[in-house]
Amino acid sequence: EVKSLKNEKFHITGMTCAACQANITRNVGKLDGVEEVNVSLLANQMTVAYDEEKIDEQAIIHAVTEIGYGASGTGTEAQKDSGFGKEWQNRREMTEENQKEMQRRLITSVAILIPLMYVAMGPMMSLPVPGFLVGMENSLISALTQLLLTIPVMIINRHFYQSGFKALVKKAPNMDSLVAIGTGSAFIYSLCMTVTIPVNPMNAHHLYYESAAVVVTLVMLGKYMESRSKGKTSEAIRKLMELAPDTAILYEDGTEREVETASVRVGQHVLIKPGSRIPLDGIVAGGSSSVDESMLTGESIPVEKQEGDTLIGGSMNYN
């Protein structure tokens, strides 16, 4: 007996690295009734094929949220395809807003990091530092100044600690967990040294406030650059997919009928007329032609197609 599986897409939030992708895939994949799981870090999306008799959408969402990520259902494959333009528009708006927020946090972090580095490293580099921050007699004031400059940087980038420690508690550590443990340890150690400076002024040489702030800020810079790169890639994919026409000519029992491309199913025949774009991926069931696939391959010379050859959605049929 062939099981009828339901294919559904979910929007995932909170993923930051390949470890997150692997954690979600592993946690959802072990659920009874789930046959296949595909998680896209680039699109923040998960596609699940599952048996509705054994498991439902809420159970899948719970499997994702219990390890520290967010998930929401976005409908079946057909529903998703029919709302393609709107879905990509919403995703683009969310990406742009997220990038602006990351940019604001990055600029603020750098603005605070500059004076912190000056206070911490200036005396070592013989730079002109205010007198009340120089010398062993002023070591406590210098340490407190560094502490007050570090706290805002860590608050601005608190999502690393929220996500990292949450993932650690759920036994699914990710890159944020590494950042949180490393910078958190440096901050707590420096705080302990600061408290003991009145007893032992030499502890002022064991402060790592600037290290914690620098690491968090540099990781934030990497995240911002990664987000911009992902945004550009997603936009390129969107433009590529938009090349495919919204309608297709369905060929059934010798008659032609124009339908929405999203409604075409596996096993149906589609008629591709000369000079028209191929609406979706498929296999040539009859006839021959030359097809321009430069939109994907970059090759300007048309590719000859015969019965049994594969076709790429969005490519142009010549003959």
Side-chain angles (χ1 to χ4, degrees):
E1 182 181 353
V2 179
K3 292 185 293 185
S4 178
L5 301 177
K6 182 178 181 181
N7 288 289
E8 190 158 1
K9 291 184 179 180
F10 298 83
H11 180 67
I12 307 297
T13 58
M15 289 194 297
T16 57
C17 61
C20 300
Q21 183 179 9
N23 287 334
I24 294 174
T25 302
R26 182 175 59 253
N27 214 52
V28 175
K30 67 183 182 182
L31 296 174
D32 184 33
V34 173
E35 296 293 330
E36 185 179 358
V37 183
N38 290 302
V39 180
S40 171
L41 179 63
L42 176 64
N44 292 320
Q45 194 173 80
M46 174 178 69
T47 304
V48 183
Y50 63 96
D51 186 350
E52 291 183 277
E53 296 180 359
K54 295 183 178 180
I55 195 171
D56 59 12
E57 178 182 327
Q58 291 305 315
I60 295 173
I61 292 176
H62 177 70
V64 177
T65 57
E66 73 172 358
I67 56 174
Y69 304 96
S72 59
T74 57
T76 61
E77 294 280 3
Q79 291 170 333
K80 194 68 175 178
D81 290 339
S82 62
F84 172 77
K86 183 179 180 181
E87 187 267 335
W88 274 92
Q89 179 65 25
N90 292 339
R91 184 186 300 175
R92 181 167 55 181
E93 291 175 358
M94 289 174 61
T95 300
E96 290 176 353
E97 182 60 33
N98 183 50
Q99 287 180 4
K100 290 179 182 178
E101 177 62 26
M102 293 178 71
Q103 187 180 48
R104 286 192 291 266
R105 291 201 301 264
L106 178 61
I107 292 174
T108 307
S109 297
V110 171
I112 300 173
L113 182 62
I114 291 173
L116 171 60
M117 291 294 294
Y118 192 84
V119 172
M121 309 300 293
M124 302 179 189
M125 302 174 65
S126 301
L127 297 175
V129 179
F132 66 88
L133 296 174
V134 181
M136 296 303 297
E137 67 278 7
N138 297 317
S139 57
L140 181 59
I141 297 176
S142 176
L144 292 175
T145 302
Q146 294 177 51
L147 171 62
L148 293 175
L149 289 171
T150 303
I151 289 175
V153 176
M154 300 186 76
I155 291 176
I156 291 169
N157 298 287
R158 60 187 178 276
H159 61 281
F160 285 123
Y161 304 96
Q162 293 171 341
S163 170
F165 286 125
K166 187 175 182 180
L168 199 60
V169 170
K170 299 294 183 178
K171 299 180 181 179
N174 53 25
M175 192 178 76
D176 288 350
S177 302
L178 180 63
V179 175
I181 292 173
T183 59
S185 300
F187 180 82
I188 293 173
Y189 179 81
S190 300
L191 189 61
C192 293
M193 292 297 102
T194 301
V195 173
T196 58
I197 285 177
V199 179
N200 183 7
M202 293 302 294
N203 285 342
H205 296 297
H206 302 287
L207 302 179
Y208 301 98
Y209 290 121
E210 83 287 349
S211 299
V214 166
V215 170
V216 169
T217 302
L218 288 178
V219 173
M220 186 67 223
L221 174 62
K223 294 282 188 182
Y224 174 67
M225 295 174 66
E226 179 186 29
S227 177
R228 288 192 60 185
S229 178
K230 285 170 63 178
K232 291 179 180 178
T233 303
S234 296
E235 185 67 12
I237 294 173
R238 182 188 66 82
K239 291 180 178 178
L240 185 64
M241 295 181 72
E242 281 184 345
L243 292 175
D246 296 328
T247 60
I249 300 176
L250 205 60
Y251 188 77
E252 295 178 317
D253 300 325
T255 61
E256 301 175 13
R257 178 166 57 94
E258 189 172 22
V259 298
E260 290 188 0
T261 301
S263 68
V264 179
R265 293 291 171 262
V266 175
Q268 293 182 315
H269 290 171
V270 175
L271 182 64
I272 311 297
K273 296 187 176 182
S276 64
R277 288 197 176 274
I278 297 169
L280 56 152
D281 296 351
I283 300 173
V284 180
S288 61
S289 181
S290 298
V291 178
D292 179 5
E293 297 181 345
S294 61
M295 36 70 75
L296 187 65
T297 64
E299 176 57 62
S300 60
I301 300 176
V303 180
E304 296 297 323
K305 298 290 183 179
Q306 305 290 336
E307 186 173 334
D309 291 341
T310 57
L311 297 174
I312 301 173
S315 56
M316 176 69 74
N317 178 36
Y318 277 169
N319 302 329

